[in-house]
Amino acid sequence: MNKNISKKVGAGIVLYNPELSLLKKDIQAIINQVDQICLFDNKSDNIEEIERTFKSYRKITIIKSSKNLGIAFGLNKLLNWASENKYNWLLTMDQDSICSTNLIEEYSKYWDDPQIGLICPFVITNGKYSLEEYNNLKIQKTSWVKDPVDCITSACLTNVKIAKQLGGYTNKLFIDYVDTDINCKVINNGYKILRVNSAYLVQQMGQGKPLKLFSYLHKYTKLNVFRRLKVAAIYTDQRLYYSSRNSRYVRKTYKDHGAKTSVIFMLMFYSYFTLFYPADRSRIKMWKSIIKGFKDYKSL
């Protein structure tokens, strides 16, 4: 890795009760690609174990919070850390996802464009793509992200100056659609988001439910729509609340918020979950959370 490239980049991860084995893999994948790594901990129950695990890593700084202030607050702390340390770019990672070892090298080929606010990779979601399938894909090296939902926080390289200029992340969102919100700020202010398909992220879905119907349809049709549907992520009722509330905030706040935060899309999104969630989940409680989130948008 070219040291002149890595010197321009700091990396940050917001932590909340991370699985340490996955976090260590996450860090090992990026530690030689960046200058320093900052871990912002949102009062994890296992913070002492986190500190013991990484105390010998000279490239890692840990910032601890006295309470869980949410992903957006943590990302703003990381953005401020990057700015204070004079980094041009901040690589943000989730605590349980693994990026390719060529990530920053590939990103650096394109970051001289002053209009680029964010750079993201090709996302390989567990259960939907395999590394073998990714390697066999015939896709162009780069593409512009048009819909703000299509760029996630993990493995996203953020132009520190532009993000600070736009006000950073929106703390009151707490969790869910925090990345969509910053993406909307970038796009709605005339900046661009670039996807570099020659670098990848293996995204952990957490708990997910494989759906045989869509797996079968994808196998025989090869249509990407069935690939995306063949594993349903399982969200708590609280996450459904934040998803509903924050997607409405994005929809009401930005003129160009993309098709995937529209009322029709979100209704289809929640209907899909209603149909395919595990049978022991209460659909009534799920929809109560969704409706409450929709109404509570007004309190933001």
Side-chain angles (χ1 to χ4, degrees):
M1 181 71 188
N2 187 321
K3 288 186 177 181
N4 291 329
I5 293 176
S6 64
K7 286 289 184 184
K8 296 182 179 181
V9 183
I13 309 173
V14 179
L15 305 180
Y16 183 68
N17 297 336
E19 185 178 327
L20 282 176
S21 61
L22 282 175
L23 180 59
K24 287 175 72 174
K25 290 179 181 179
D26 185 354
I27 287 173
Q28 289 302 321
I30 63 173
I31 198 164
N32 293 322
Q33 301 191 60
V34 300
D35 188 55
Q36 292 284 329
I37 300 172
C38 183
L39 306 178
F40 178 83
D41 184 76
N42 257 324
K43 199 171 175 51
S44 294
D45 295 333
N46 58 343
I47 182 58
E48 292 181 0
E49 190 177 359
I50 293 168
E51 290 181 305
R52 284 196 302 271
T53 300
F54 298 110
K55 67 179 181 180
S56 62
Y57 288 60
R58 63 176 182 82
K59 294 179 71 170
I60 293 181
T61 298
I62 299 177
I63 300 174
K64 295 187 291 183
S65 174
S66 59
K67 60 181 179 179
N68 183 2
L69 295 168
I71 185 73
F73 184 91
L75 288 169
N76 275 323
K77 281 289 187 182
L78 295 174
L79 188 62
N80 290 337
W81 168 83
S83 179
E84 290 164 4
N85 285 276
K86 311 299 182 185
Y87 292 121
N88 297 344
W89 297 91
L90 172 67
L91 177 69
T92 53
M93 294 293 301
D94 285 348
Q95 62 188 25
D96 57 0
S97 298
I98 314 297
C99 71
S100 60
T101 55
N102 69 337
L103 189 81
I104 300 301
E105 186 175 4
E106 290 301 303
Y107 283 177
S108 70
K109 296 175 181 178
Y110 309 98
W111 68 24
D112 288 336
D113 184 338
Q115 292 303 112
I116 291 179
L118 302 168
I119 306 176
C120 60
F122 187 94
V123 178
I124 302 171
T125 305
N126 279 5
K128 298 185 181 182
Y129 270 106
S130 67
L131 274 173
E132 183 181 358
E133 287 175 316
Y134 164 75
N135 289 325
N136 289 329
L137 289 175
K138 295 180 180 179
I139 51 177
Q140 56 190 7
K141 290 184 178 180
T142 64
S143 54
W144 296 110
V145 174
K146 301 299 183 183
D147 195 311
V149 172
D150 292 337
C151 173
I152 63 174
T153 300
S154 194
C156 183
L157 193 67
T158 301
N159 184 308
V160 174
K161 182 179 179 180
I162 290 175
K164 293 283 287 183
Q165 174 192 321
L166 298 177
Y169 301 87
T170 303
N171 286 339
K172 62 186 177 182
L173 295 184
F174 194 80
I175 192 171
D176 275 318
Y177 288 87
V178 173
D179 42 15
T180 304
D181 176 75
I182 191 74
N183 297 347
C184 284
K185 289 179 180 179
V186 168
I187 291 173
N188 281 257
N189 284 279
Y191 295 105
K192 299 183 289 187
I193 303 174
L194 181 70
R195 174 176 290 111
V196 176
N197 294 314
S198 53
Y200 66 82
L201 171 77
V202 178
Q203 182 188 30
Q204 305 292 329
M205 285 197 62
Q207 186 184 12
K209 180 185 177 184
L211 303 175
K212 292 182 180 180
L213 170 63
F214 294 121
S215 294
Y216 175 86
L217 290 171
H218 175 253
K219 180 179 179 180
Y220 288 99
T221 68
K222 307 301 182 185
L223 294 175
N224 274 330
V225 63
F226 296 129
R227 182 197 298 279
R228 290 193 292 269
L229 294 172
K230 70 180 184 178
V231 179
I234 306 301
Y235 297 133
T236 63
D237 292 340
Q238 184 184 39
R239 285 295 299 275
L240 289 172
Y241 166 84
Y242 281 119
S243 171
S244 178
R245 188 192 71 169
N246 295 352
S247 62
R248 191 180 184 199
Y249 170 85
V250 167
R251 190 163 58 248
K252 293 291 187 178
T253 303
Y254 302 103
K255 181 179 179 181
D256 186 1
H257 57 80
K260 295 178 183 176
T261 47
S262 68
V263 173
I264 293 174
F265 183 90
M266 295 308 298
L267 182 60
M268 292 172 61
F269 181 70
Y270 296 132
S271 297
Y272 166 72
F273 285 151
T274 301
L275 288 169
F276 295 108
Y277 261 31
D280 60 354
R281 288 288 294 277
S282 168
R283 270 53 180 175
I284 294 174
K285 288 182 179 179
M286 286 167 53
W287 277 101
K288 280 185 176 180
S289 296
I290 293 166
I291 292 167
K292 187 176 188 303
F294 186 84
K295 292 178 178 179
D296 284 358
Y297 143 76
K298 293 179 181 179
S299 66
L300 283 174

